[in-house]
Amino acid sequence: MPISRRAFLASLTATATAQPIRPPNIILIMADDMGWGDLSCQGSPDIRTPHIDRMAAEGTRFTHFYAQPLCGPSRAALMTGCYPVRNSLMFNHLPKARTGIHPNEMTMPEMLKQKGYATMAIGKWHLGDAPPFLPTKHGFDRWFGLPYSNDMWPFHPKIVKPAREAQQGDIARARAKFTGYDGQGQVYPPDWFPDLPLMRDGDVAELNPEQNQLTERYTREALNFITANKARPFFIYLAHTMPHVPLFPGKNFEGKSPRGRYGDVIEELDASVGAILEHVRKQALDNETLVIFTSDNGPWAPYGIDAGSAGPLRGAKGSHWEGGIRVPFIARWPGRVRRGVVTNEIAASIDLLSTFAAFADAHLPAHKIDGLNLAPFLIGAAAKSPRDDFFYYAAPAQYLAADGRPANQRNLVAVRSGPWKLHVATGELYNLREDTGEQKNVAAKYPQHAARLRAMGERFNAAIVEEVRPLGHL
Ligand code: MG
């Protein structure tokens, strides 16, 4: 049930001291390509994540939380509160891209700066690597990290079981003509990608950095930023490079996990979360700091043992089965976000912009967004999540036109409403509350639900196509 803005703000300030609280610090930690099933608290049998598990026990954990099927679109959704089709950021940008996030988009840090936040991005960006598209031009005071994925370097790991390799190559070349590095016209040869820059703010700090130090270096940056900004509200967006392939565990973690290299890097991420939470506590900021842990998309399955697991969910990164797009999501804010809650309410990364706006009492962008405010649910002022539906759009390869430009067609592939999920092209209908693995197509049994979801999807898609905003262009 929606509550008024006034009632919501009153509920936030109803503390023992009755003093209005300042906007919270926000630390948003995101893993890259970590699957739904890759935490102990999400059922992983062989990856040990005691710090993240404890964070979940001290906060609220969602089991039906939606990101987007790929890295770039997922980050666009998070930063702008929009389905990526709405602002044309629905594909992965390549190095030397001539496009990126449009200057008129309002990002999460730009929104928070209204309230005086100090802002830092650490890790992967992936919304365009040309200067006008970088984090320091889109609301972040500071940035330390990679402009795109860690495999986009001269040592790109070969996919173990290439799926439709010729088609993949054609798509990559077509896309490169429009959005980035054109390479030598082959599929990921050694010279396909340029040297990988590690960036400090707007400048290249190193080329092809030692990736086994990245998790530790990112963590140190986060701790330093917390210390330096503890007197004002701060926002840290810590978008880890791991566990995206190539996998690089730090020296102290290599060879330690029963789950192999993949487990090693997750266990290092877990230790990083532990170090951050401990530092927040030591700075006496626990009750003023919202910490979130999530992932950007499902596991990159073709990498086999080097990929994560979606647990009981069907599918993986890039697909619109649940395993491609549903990810772990944990929120912890002692004294505010409910403690020890595990919920199967529906929520999505597009909702975080609106949620942070509510917590910080900041204004949302004037343009249309898709997010809903989860804050009343998180603090227990509302019994249910405001979100009851979700619209799944195709991974980008499916809608690139022949000239390499993103086709004008916005390819809606599935619709969720309550427990029901309709796959648009095939007409398959699943009840996700009863059939976690999308195994039992019940379209014939419930034609009324299939028809209702199809109409919902058509209506939503028709509207969004009318309202599409452009990419930024050089
Ligand atoms: Mg990813």
Side-chain angles (χ1 to χ4, degrees), residues 32-33 71 75 124 244 296-297 317:
D32 193 349
D33 292 7
C71 307
R75 285 142 217 277
K124 171 165 153 182
H244 194 292
D296 67 334
N297 51 251
K317 175 177 178 176

Side-chain angles (χ1 to χ4, degrees), residues 229-246:
N229 293 283
K230 63 183 177 185
R232 55 191 285 206
F234 60 79
F235 170 52
I236 297 174
Y237 169 43
L238 172 49
H240 277 290
T241 293
M242 297 293 125
H244 194 292
V245 293

Side-chain angles (χ1 to χ4, degrees), residues 323-404:
I325 189 166
R326 240 161 80 189
V327 292
F329 182 86
I330 298 162
R332 175 192 184 270
W333 181 6
R336 294 290 185 279
V337 168
R338 284 185 296 160
R339 183 186 171 91
V341 172
V342 179
T343 178
N344 63 8
E345 289 285 301
I346 303 169
S349 62
I350 52 176
D351 298 329
L352 294 187
L353 186 86
S354 302
T355 304
F356 294 172
F359 280 136
D361 195 24
H363 292 291
L364 287 169
H367 56 232
K368 170 99 174 153
I369 63 170
D370 297 297
L372 302 171
N373 175 12
L374 305 175
F377 177 70
L378 284 170
I379 66 171
K384 298 190 73 67
S385 165
R387 177 167 296 287
D388 193 48
D389 58 26
F390 190 79
F391 299 93
Y392 306 62
Y393 279 83
Q398 295 177 40
Y399 54 75
L400 278 172
D403 64 357

Side-chain angles (χ1 to χ4, degrees), residues 86-403:
R86 184 177 293 287
N87 44 28
S88 303
L89 287 161
M90 64 289 201
F91 60 96
N92 279 342
H93 275 86
L94 292 175
K96 303 196 186 303
R98 300 190 57 76
T99 61
I101 183 170
H102 195 281
N104 291 353
E105 293 296 320
M106 184 192 273
T107 62
M108 196 175 263
E110 285 169 335
M111 181 194 75
L112 293 171
K113 287 209 81 73
Q114 297 166 25
K115 291 292 172 175
Y117 276 70
T119 58
M120 181 169 194
I122 304 169
K124 171 165 153 182
W125 179 239
H126 219 177
L127 299 177
D129 67 323
F133 310 126
L134 294 178
T136 43
K137 294 287 170 57
H138 290 271
F140 287 104
D141 302 327
R142 308 295 312 276
W143 174 41
F144 180 74
L146 306 179
Y148 36 72
S149 300
N150 61 323
D151 63 333
M152 295 176 174
W153 70 340
F155 320 106
H156 186 279
K158 287 209 182 319
I159 288 181
V160 179
K161 291 180 286 183
R164 297 167 296 138
E165 187 164 354
Q167 188 190 344
Q168 184 189 31
D170 291 345
I171 290 165
R173 277 191 296 280
R175 187 173 47 177
K177 277 184 202 158
F178 175 56
T179 60
Y181 190 68
D182 201 13
Q184 301 300 310
Q186 299 173 48
V187 184
Y188 301 157
D191 57 352
W192 175 244
F193 291 115
D195 290 331
L196 176 67
L198 176 65
M199 307 287 292
R200 167 77 66 190
D201 302 325
D203 300 319
V204 176
E206 295 167 31
L207 288 174
N208 299 326
E210 293 290 346
Q211 291 204 27
N212 65 356
Q213 297 172 4
L214 286 180
T215 299
E216 187 183 344
R217 292 177 76 181
Y218 290 170
T219 305
R220 205 179 316 134
E221 293 286 331
L223 302 187
N224 290 343
F225 195 76
I226 292 166
T227 309
N229 293 283
K230 63 183 177 185
R232 55 191 285 206
F234 60 79
F235 170 52
I236 297 174
Y237 169 43
L238 172 49
H240 277 290
T241 293
M242 297 293 125
H244 194 292
V245 293
L247 300 175
F248 280 102
K251 272 202 208 85
N252 295 336
F253 294 87
E254 187 160 13
K256 297 285 169 65
S257 168
R259 176 60 171 78
R261 253 177 120 68
Y262 185 85
D264 291 346
V265 302
I266 298 291
E267 293 187 12
E268 186 174 14
L269 293 188
D270 181 70
S272 168
V273 170
I276 289 167
L277 291 177
E278 175 64 10
H279 192 69
V280 167
R281 190 187 64 76
K282 276 191 180 153
Q283 303 292 323
L285 294 173
D286 243 0
N287 294 334
E288 299 174 5
T289 306
L290 169 63
V291 184
I292 284 170
F293 182 86
T294 189
S295 179
D296 67 334
N297 51 251
W300 204 357
Y303 282 98
I305 193 69
D306 281 350
S309 165
L313 307 181
R314 183 171 175 179
K317 175 177 178 176
S319 89
H320 50 281
W321 298 104
E322 295 292 287
I325 189 166
R326 240 161 80 189
V327 292
F329 182 86
I330 298 162
R332 175 192 184 270
W333 181 6
R336 294 290 185 279
V337 168
R338 284 185 296 160
R339 183 186 171 91
V341 172
V342 179
T343 178
N344 63 8
E345 289 285 301
I346 303 169
S349 62
I350 52 176
D351 298 329
L352 294 187
L353 186 86
S354 302
T355 304
F356 294 172
F359 280 136
D361 195 24
H363 292 291
L364 287 169
H367 56 232
K368 170 99 174 153
I369 63 170
D370 297 297
L372 302 171
N373 175 12
L374 305 175
F377 177 70
L378 284 170
I379 66 171
K384 298 190 73 67
S385 165
R387 177 167 296 287
D388 193 48
D389 58 26
F390 190 79
F391 299 93
Y392 306 62
Y393 279 83
Q398 295 177 40
Y399 54 75
L400 278 172
D403 64 357

